[in-house]
Amino acid sequence: MSEVKKNGEPLEDSQATVHKKEKHPPGLYLLFFTEMWERFSYYGMRGILTLYLTTAFISGGLGFDASSAAMIYGCFTGFVYFTPLIGGYLSDNYLGQRKAILIGGVTMAIGQFTLFSSQSRTALYIGLLLLILGNGFFKPNISNLVGQLYTKNDPRKDSAFTIFYMGINIGSFFAPLICGTLAENWMAVKEGGQVISYGYRYGFLAAAIGMIIGQLLFNALAQKYLGDIGKYPATKDKTGHVVENKPLTKKEKQRVTVIFILTAFCVFFWAAFEQAGTSLTIYTKDFINRNVGGFEIPVSWFQSLNPFFVVTLGPVFAALWVKLSKREKGDLTVPQKMGMALVLVAVGFLCMVGAVLQRGGAEDMTVKASVIWLIFTYFFHTVAELSLSPVGLSMVSKLSPPKLTSLLMGVWLSASFIANLVGGVIASKLDSFGHMQIFGGIAAVTFLLGLILLTVNKKLVKMME
Ligand code: GLN
């Protein structure tokens, strides 16, 4: 039934559309669950990878020393964000997003099974390589499909990507808990309560199963909820004829330049943010008082704080973007949101500076800083992440010329490629440079970059129009 005003007249067309448009299409939730399972798989295996690498062979691991393990971990987490450039290009020109997602998902499932199949270094390298390749096909294309559910400048886009981002984080919240518990408890061989041999392989099996569930779900329901979206490459029609081969206009080139500029700023955001898995974890282990009422919180549990905050704060942000977009002057601009994110990540690191000051430079390892500092750090980092990461996905989908959308999604993700490598180097200097210098230095650099971004906001917005 059509909507009517109180006096019985039908609503004006535009009003009715705006009203109806507040709801998100069901396809968003299909992509939400598909990505949730894929991220479950990714973060589940990533959560036990370092332990698997460094545990002795006889105890179910591969017996690498700590520095080789850090190197393998750093390269793996970096290169998974390099291959989206390749997967994005192939999808735009030859495959279309749906096929790329299938190829990527199946490749990653085989990768996880390879890790499960044998406790050997050969299986490790082949498995990681398959995961790196598969992610390249999967990640830029699933994100791109979210954008394609909406018209180019639909105001619901930022909110849609925020909801999608919550899916990512529900997966990454539960994954380390489930895969970790399988590896360290349920599938571990114990004697008198002591672990003799860990069951890491079963953690990888759980990751493989998660990936398969996501793929089954996606392929069974895509036709129903996505229709023809993402079936053909952006540059070709159903019959394979090229439809998009015009050179980019001046305006399009400007928009692509903005994507590159903002991606470059975000490298610094991710390099700071990714310290969660490295320097922040090392600091937590040694210098944060994890004792709460006689219970010692395991270091790895702090990894769940970020996804926990994303899932709890996500709805607030999704609603906030919609609300702001209804103001007369509209939503905050993308550079404003990202500039704020850089400032907030700096505030997070200032909390770590607070922790260092509280310890007062004590050599004594028994002098600990309060856990509150760390909780606030993760809180600010998550607020920052929510105003940068989903917003970035949304921005790429709005600014990209259609024939380059998946490739440019790959460009956006490649910020994390450089950031993981750079972030690893920064973290490795923690001891030689000192905690204050590293945490304070990161805060200063990101704060400054945030201010620069806020200053050039108008110029960038002009280029984006
Ligand atoms: N947590 C995000 C994800 O897993 C991070 C993406 C990124 O590093 N660019 O999708």
Side-chain angles (χ1 to χ4, degrees):
M1 209 174 76
S2 68
E3 300 182 63
V4 286
K5 277 186 184 171
K6 279 206 188 100
N7 61 10
E9 291 163 25
L11 279 175
E12 293 202 17
D13 222 20
S14 58
Q15 269 176 289
T17 326
V18 168
H19 197 77
K20 229 172 46 203
K21 270 186 154 186
E22 297 206 345
K23 264 182 86 179
H24 288 282
L28 175 64
Y29 298 98
L30 175 62
L31 300 175
F32 174 105
F33 285 113
T34 308
E35 177 64 334
M36 183 189 87
W37 280 111
E38 186 272 333
R39 290 284 98 180
F40 170 89
S41 179
Y42 173 72
Y43 283 106
M45 77 76 60
R46 200 178 108 158
I48 53 175
L49 181 60
T50 304
L51 296 169
Y52 178 53
L53 294 174
T54 50
T55 302
F57 187 81
I58 196 167
S59 308
L62 290 181
F64 283 97
D65 60 57
S67 73
S68 313
M71 170 93 168
I72 294 172
Y73 182 87
C75 286
F76 171 69
T77 52
F79 275 96
V80 285
Y81 287 114
F82 171 75
T83 46
L85 286 168
I86 302 168
Y89 173 80
L90 292 176
S91 147
D92 282 338
N93 293 288
Y94 304 104
L95 298 170
Q97 287 123 10
R98 298 252 282 267
K99 219 178 277 165
I101 289 171
L102 175 65
I103 295 173
V106 171
T107 309
M108 287 192 282
I110 298 173
Q112 303 281 19
F113 272 120
T114 309
L115 293 175
F116 165 68
S117 69
S118 139
Q119 185 193 339
S120 72
R121 292 188 179 193
T122 313
L124 171 84
Y125 294 131
I126 297 174
L128 293 185
L129 190 68
L130 289 171
L131 289 171
I132 288 172
L133 289 175
N135 196 57
F137 282 89
F138 188 99
K139 188 80 169 146
N141 290 301
I142 190 97
S143 314
N144 207 352
L145 274 186
V146 175
Q148 299 218 357
L149 291 171
Y150 303 83
T151 53
K152 196 99 184 143
N153 287 311
D154 191 312
R156 293 171 301 169
K157 254 190 189 173
D158 280 11
S159 150
F161 275 104
T162 308
I163 294 172
F164 175 72
Y165 211 70
M166 285 164 60
I168 290 180
N169 283 275
I170 293 176
S172 58
F173 175 78
F174 286 109
L177 304 179
I178 294 178
C179 295
T181 308
L182 267 173
E184 291 175 46
N185 289 297
W186 296 340
M187 288 303 169
V189 181
K190 292 184 182 175
E191 230 175 63
Q194 284 284 7
V195 176
I196 307 272
S197 174
Y198 291 93
Y200 294 117
R201 294 176 54 217
Y202 295 94
F204 301 133
L205 179 64
I209 293 170
M211 187 70 75
I212 290 170
I213 296 175
Q215 277 301 310
L216 289 177
L217 198 73
F218 181 73
N219 289 290
L221 299 175
Q223 196 52 44
K224 181 163 181 209
Y225 292 113
L226 302 177
D228 274 352
I229 294 174
K231 258 191 166 173
Y232 309 103
T235 51
K236 305 212 173 85
D237 66 11
K238 272 185 198 179
T239 56
H241 286 111
V242 175
V243 287
E244 260 284 334
N245 203 15
K246 285 182 244 125
L248 296 184
T249 62
K250 188 166 165 246
K251 203 68 231 169
E252 283 178 322
K253 280 186 192 154
Q254 276 187 358
R255 293 195 191 114
V256 172
T257 310
V258 174
I259 295 181
F260 274 92
I261 295 174
L262 290 176
T263 302
F265 274 93
C266 292
V267 168
F268 295 88
F269 170 84
W270 289 116
F273 182 87
E274 292 292 350
Q275 295 301 310
T278 50
S279 68
L280 290 182
T281 295
I282 298 167
Y283 191 86
T284 304
K285 184 164 147 276
D286 295 335
F287 301 115
I288 294 286
N289 178 9
R290 291 176 283 121
N291 214 307
V292 178
F295 173 71
E296 171 114 317
I297 306 170
V299 182
S300 59
W301 283 22
F302 288 95
Q303 292 306 305
S304 289
L305 268 178
N306 167 247
F308 169 78
F309 281 136
V310 171
V311 176
T312 47
L313 296 174
V316 180
F317 275 79
L320 181 71
W321 302 145
V322 173
K323 203 167 170 184
L324 287 177
S325 69
K326 286 189 188 149
R327 293 187 311 176
E328 207 162 303
K329 54 178 180 171
D331 198 353
L332 294 175
T333 67
V334 177
Q336 277 173 332
K337 289 179 184 173
M338 292 184 176
M340 266 171 39
L342 278 157
V343 170
L344 285 166
V345 96
V347 174
F349 271 100
L350 283 183
C351 296
M352 291 312 293
V353 169
V356 177
L357 288 175
Q358 188 191 6
R359 290 192 66 254
E363 296 283 310
D364 184 355
M365 299 270 281
T366 60
V367 179
K368 307 274 185 195
S370 164
V371 72
I372 299 290
W373 295 115
L374 191 68
I375 293 175
F376 271 108
T377 297
Y378 282 123
F379 172 80
F380 283 117
H381 283 189
T382 309
V383 174
E385 181 189 9
L386 280 169
S387 58
L388 180 139
S389 190
V391 173
L393 298 173
S394 174
M395 164 198 72
V396 174
S397 113
K398 282 182 201 156
L399 296 185
S400 302
K403 66 175 178 180
L404 295 177
T405 324
S406 290
L407 175 64
L408 289 171
M409 201 56 97
V411 168
W412 166 253
L413 292 169
S414 72
S416 289
F417 162 60
I418 307 171
N420 272 293
L421 303 185
V422 175
V425 176
I426 298 174
S428 70
K429 305 281 180 226
L430 189 65
D431 283 336
S432 51
F433 282 19
H435 302 133
M436 185 59 135
Q437 283 75 0
I438 292 285
F439 296 150
I442 295 176
V445 173
T446 47
F447 186 75
L448 201 71
L449 287 168
L451 289 190
I452 294 176
L453 203 45
L454 291 171
T455 317
V456 296
N457 169 49
K458 276 213 177 106
K459 213 173 159 66
L460 292 175
V461 169
K462 211 164 171 162
M463 289 170 75
M464 284 159 74
E465 269 160 10

